[in-house]
Amino acid sequence: MSCAWQAFADHVRLSVRLTPNGGRDAVDGIETGADGEAYLKARVSAVPEKGKANKALIALLAKSLGIPKSSLSLISGDTARKKILRIDGDPEDLIGRLKAIMKN
């Protein structure tokens, strides 16, 4: 099984499948798509207009990981459900935090 993240020297890239208008803000674990790629499943209550859902996703992940929102940025998928985020910081620490939120 593949991981939803890739570690680089100074950051981690995270693949996310976002459900906007999801009724609540939550991380729902890992999902493997039909293409065999793994994604972090997340839902936000924000609507998918004018970047509101993307901002809500960044706020949700920052809070869940205990890092500042400024550490997260959207690399691709601005208007798509499947997104790639860059999380700046120590990759080893970030992967440990990601694994911890998967258990909850």
Side-chain angles (χ1 to χ4, degrees):
M1 181 176 142
S2 61
C3 290
W5 55 80
Q6 290 179 296
F8 292 87
D10 62 345
H11 71 280
V12 170
R13 285 191 184 175
L14 178 65
S15 298
V16 178
R17 185 176 185 281
L18 179 64
T19 303
N21 253 347
R24 61 188 171 93
D25 294 354
V27 174
D28 294 332
I30 298 285
E31 170 182 74
T32 303
D35 56 2
E37 293 292 318
Y39 299 93
L40 176 74
K41 285 180 17 177
R43 67 178 64 228
V44 295
S45 57
V47 294
E49 62 183 35
K50 298 182 183 174
K52 290 179 183 175
N54 291 337
K55 288 179 185 170
L57 172 64
I58 287 173
L60 169 66
L61 290 176
K63 183 178 179 182
S64 298
L65 295 170
I67 59 174
K69 289 187 279 188
S70 60
S71 296
L72 290 116
S73 57
L74 190 63
I75 294 176
S76 69
D78 191 41
T79 58
R81 280 184 183 244
K82 293 181 180 175
K83 302 174 183 303
I84 297 177
L85 289 134
R86 176 185 170 124
I87 310 172
D88 291 320
D90 175 44
E92 198 171 300
D93 177 52
L94 292 171
I95 290 170
R97 290 171 187 249
L98 284 165
K99 288 179 178 178
I101 66 170
M102 297 305 133
K103 292 178 183 177
N104 294 338

